[in-house]
Amino acid sequence: MKLTGKLLLYVLTALLLALLGLYFLLQTRWSADYISRWITDHSGYHLSFDVIEHRWSSPSHILLENVTFGRDARPALLVAKKVDIGLSARQLVDPLHADSILLQDGTLNVSPPPAPFPFQANRLQLKEMAFNAPESEWRLSARRVNGGIIPWRPEAGRILGDKAHLRLSAGSLTLNDIPASNVLIEGSIDKERIALSTIGADIARGALTGVVRRHADGCWEVEELRLNDIRLQSDRSLADLFSPLKALPSLQIGRLEVTDAHLQGPDWAVTDLDLSLRNLNFSHGEWQTADGKLSMNANEVIYGSLHLFDPILNAGFSTEGIALRQFTTRWEGGMVRTSGSWSRSSRALLLDDTAIVGLEYTLPENWKQRWTQPLPSWLSDLTLKKFSASRNLLIDIDPAFPWQLTALDGYGADLQLVQDRQWGVWGGSVRLNAAAATFNHMDVRRPSLALAADASEINISELSAFMEKGLLEATASISQQSPHRAQVSLSGRGVPVNALQRWGWPALPLSGDGNIQLTASGLIQAEAPLKPTVNGQLHAINTDKQQLTQKMQAGEVSTLEEASGEPAEQQEDAAPP
């Protein structure tokens, strides 16, 4: 018995010494190299690490140093200075499922098609890690990431798994080329559903906080989002900046608050923006809501050639359309104020009361081309129920026929300016007058105009102006059908007989002041000149009783009658012998 006992003791001692030797051997660099080569040679992964370390202060943990791990022939999925693996009894039946995994001072790289990690853990912890997914749908990269994921069961295409709770922070993060810092995210994942109960970040020198959800059908719901003191400069147009949102099946905004934001792009800018948007859903470029609200004010708004100061907008959204409760702004040195409604079904904008005061506006060089181009599909009709203008300055610098109206006042009712997405004067009435005007370098005083329009024609019942000497008066009509036939009847009393020279009629062989009478008609077409279509007749008589009648046919003038105002005996005396 003593011999058997001693033999058993020797065996146990030898086994203990072997285990102890193996324990120390596993923690050598040679062992680390051997294990790395074996896994690389006998699996579809490549693995390398410098050393395995075990500490009796944490007996259930194994520490790997300077780890590189990934699939064969692909970039590394993981590079980390330290990987702490917490073991449990589950390793006996599922060796690749750890109790915990801590990744420290390294990088996680994900590129499509993302390969899953072959192991799982009840808890994944990140400490001072980096995350890169440059080719993913959201183009995400992050630095100094800390936090945890419980549980962690990565799958192909889902590095976080299909069901987990997460709490992560990042010192810096870039999402779709938009940088942020001091990021905090807390929420859960349940297959296609994502619920982020806390989002916080410093972005564009401001702060962002919010609550966001993603539903199983891919739709996103912004329960609450606040942006404070944002200072964003982008090299993208507004359409490009918001293009990722259009790719979503839908985006539902419960509450969006923007305070003191400064945003700038290549052809747009907004300063000191305060905005509140509630209960609005966007889907494929369209919006839907039963009770949406928008309030906005800013110091300055620039969009292309449009430049607004101190705009204020308050609107309500419903299934029927938009109720524009208030819109005021300073524009081109003046003030614009209006209210009204937009109908979703008819795409018609009805402005109840529009006022334009103190405007100093120079028409763009291509305003005539813009006038003939179709408007966007969302604006089929535009009607001004009530319109007023006061002390405005309007200028056209077209070198072929420049003009200017000074101290322009006016008022109108039921003035329809857009029909079937086309600018025009399609209905209603308006009366305009100005203190002074210049038409192709011809100065006039107190010009006035009164017109009424219906479906068939525009009728100008009054058109008058004082010249330096005398008075011009006219009436005109323009048909609404294309080509638009225009007819005008003009008379001048006590005016220079060549008053119409600067307006297109050739110079008369008469001089001085007198009376003129013109009747003319022509076709107004978008892509064709007016002059070749003009037919008319002009009769002029000066203070010396000299008179002349000329006819214009297809833009060319011929003289019908010319008479001298001198007595017959004077004509005989003047004749040569």
Side-chain angles (χ1 to χ4, degrees):
M1 277 305 280
K2 287 186 177 181
L3 181 61
T4 303
K6 289 182 179 182
L7 182 60
L8 182 58
L9 179 61
Y10 291 151
V11 171
L12 291 176
T13 302
L15 182 60
L16 181 60
L17 291 174
L19 291 175
L20 188 61
L22 180 62
Y23 172 78
F24 287 106
L25 180 64
L26 287 174
Q27 299 185 61
T28 63
R29 183 175 294 275
W30 176 86
S31 177
D33 291 340
Y34 178 82
I35 295 174
S36 298
R37 287 195 306 270
W38 191 90
I39 293 176
T40 301
D41 294 340
H42 294 83
S43 71
Y45 298 89
H46 60 85
L47 171 68
S48 68
F49 57 93
D50 288 349
V51 69
I52 300 177
E53 183 180 345
H54 177 264
R55 297 174 182 175
W56 289 105
S57 58
S58 301
S60 61
H61 286 254
I62 295 176
L63 183 65
L64 307 181
E65 294 185 358
N66 297 323
V67 178
T68 301
F69 176 79
R71 293 186 68 90
D72 289 342
R74 296 186 63 87
L77 290 172
L78 170 66
V79 177
K81 289 185 178 180
K82 293 183 180 181
V83 175
D84 189 332
I85 303 174
L87 305 177
S88 67
R90 185 167 180 172
Q91 262 72 51
L92 298 176
V93 294
D94 191 356
L96 297 181
H97 191 111
D99 181 61
S100 66
I101 298 177
L102 169 63
L103 307 180
Q104 183 174 346
D105 296 325
T107 303
L108 279 171
N109 296 305
V110 178
S111 59
F117 284 85
F119 36 81
Q120 302 175 351
N122 294 335
R123 180 174 69 255
L124 173 67
Q125 292 179 277
L126 305 177
K127 185 175 181 181
E128 295 299 318
M129 291 291 292
F131 184 88
N132 294 317
E135 300 178 15
S136 66
E137 178 183 0
W138 293 93
R139 299 197 311 274
L140 174 66
S141 65
R143 299 292 180 270
R144 304 194 308 278
V145 179
N146 296 277
I149 302 168
I150 302 175
W152 183 53
R153 301 188 183 99
E155 298 179 353
R158 297 177 180 174
I159 193 172
L160 301 181
D162 65 354
K163 192 168 185 178
H165 293 274
L166 57 92
R167 181 181 177 89
L168 299 170
S169 66
S172 63
L173 180 145
T174 301
L175 178 63
N176 286 340
D177 301 324
I178 298 177
S181 59
N182 300 324
V183 181
L184 175 63
I185 298 175
E186 185 174 357
S188 63
I189 298 172
D190 187 359
K191 295 183 179 179
E192 299 298 333
R193 295 182 176 88
I194 300 175
L196 302 179
S197 57
T198 301
I199 298 178
D202 294 335
I203 179 171
R205 295 190 292 169
L208 176 151
T209 59
V211 178
V212 178
R213 303 179 189 277
R214 181 182 183 232
H215 299 285
D217 57 1
C219 300
W220 286 85
E221 177 186 352
V222 178
E223 184 176 320
E224 183 176 350
L225 184 64
R226 296 177 181 271
L227 299 170
N228 298 321
D229 299 320
I230 298 296
R231 303 292 186 268
L232 175 64
Q233 288 189 332
S234 174
D235 58 356
R236 297 183 177 185
S237 65
L238 276 178
D240 290 341
L241 192 66
F242 290 103
S243 59
L245 300 181
K246 294 182 179 180
L248 299 175
S250 73
L251 173 65
Q252 182 178 347
I253 297 177
R255 182 172 182 177
L256 172 63
E257 301 285 346
V258 180
T259 305
D260 193 25
H262 292 247
L263 314 174
Q264 184 176 350
D267 61 346
W268 59 273
V270 184
T271 61
D272 296 324
L273 172 66
D274 294 333
L275 181 145
S276 177
L277 178 63
R278 299 187 182 183
N279 302 326
L280 207 60
N281 183 46
F282 296 93
S283 178
H284 305 293
E286 295 286 342
W287 58 267
Q288 298 88 27
T289 185
D291 184 23
K293 296 180 181 179
L294 171 64
S295 298
M296 186 212 76
N297 64 81
N299 181 48
E300 193 173 359
V301 173
I302 299 173
Y303 185 73
S305 60
L306 184 65
H307 195 170
L308 306 179
F309 291 93
D310 301 323
I312 300 174
L313 172 65
N314 288 296
F317 298 82
S318 66
T319 55
E320 289 78 18
I322 302 174
L324 182 61
R325 300 187 179 98
Q326 176 189 15
F327 176 73
T328 61
T329 185
R330 291 191 297 117
W331 176 53
E332 299 294 340
M335 187 273 291
V336 178
R337 183 190 71 247
T338 190
S339 61
S341 62
W342 177 82
S343 171
R344 180 190 293 274
S345 59
S346 63
R347 307 280 174 168
L349 178 60
L350 175 64
L351 299 181
D352 299 326
D353 189 358
T354 302
I356 303 175
V357 180
L359 199 68
E360 299 177 1
Y361 184 55
T362 299
L363 294 170
E365 294 182 1
N366 63 341
W367 72 269
K368 296 176 184 176
Q369 288 77 16
R370 293 186 183 182
W371 184 266
T372 59
Q373 292 175 353
L375 290 167
S377 59
W378 63 266
L379 184 58
S380 178
D381 293 272
L382 170 61
T383 301
L384 309 184
K385 193 70 176 176
K386 181 180 179 183
F387 165 78
S388 64
S390 178
R391 304 188 308 277
N392 299 290
L393 174 64
L394 194 60
I395 303 172
D396 183 8
I397 58 174
D398 182 1
F401 196 93
W403 53 268
Q404 173 178 314
L405 293 170
T406 304
L408 176 64
D409 299 335
Y411 60 89
D414 299 320
L415 189 60
Q416 187 179 7
L417 297 180
V418 175
Q419 179 177 278
D420 297 328
R421 300 173 55 197
Q422 187 62 58
W423 287 106
V425 183
W426 304 105
S429 61
V430 65
R431 177 177 289 273
L432 302 172
N433 60 80
T438 300
F439 297 99
N440 199 23
H441 309 291
M442 176 71 74
D443 295 332
V444 298
R445 294 176 290 108
R446 307 302 302 173
S448 65
L449 175 147
L451 66 80
D454 55 26
S456 59
E457 71 173 9
I458 302 172
N459 181 33
I460 302 176
S461 59
E462 177 188 335
L463 180 61
S464 64
F466 290 95
M467 305 192 69
E468 184 178 357
K469 297 179 180 179
L471 171 67
L472 288 174
E473 294 180 302
T475 60
S477 64
I478 304 172
S479 68
Q480 297 283 27
Q481 290 73 35
S482 182
H484 304 283
R485 176 167 294 278
Q487 296 179 324
V488 61
S489 176
L490 180 145
S491 64
R493 300 193 303 272
V495 299
V497 291
N498 274 298
L500 302 183
Q501 180 180 352
R502 290 189 178 273
W503 298 350
W505 198 277
L508 304 179
L510 297 179
S511 61
D513 302 331
N515 297 336
I516 59 175
Q517 183 70 41
L518 170 70
T519 58
S521 64
L523 297 178
I524 301 176
Q525 303 174 83
E527 302 297 334
L530 173 64
K531 186 176 179 180
T533 69
V534 175
N535 300 317
Q537 181 172 299
L538 173 66
H539 179 75
I541 180 170
N542 64 10
T543 55
D544 294 331
K545 304 303 180 182
Q546 295 175 319
Q547 54 185 312
L548 175 70
T549 300
Q550 287 187 337
K551 182 178 181 181
M552 177 175 285
Q553 187 72 30
E556 299 295 330
V557 172
S558 60
T559 301
L560 296 180
E561 177 184 352
E562 184 174 353
S564 172
E566 297 180 354
E569 60 272 14
Q570 291 184 9
Q571 294 182 12
E572 293 176 359
D573 293 342

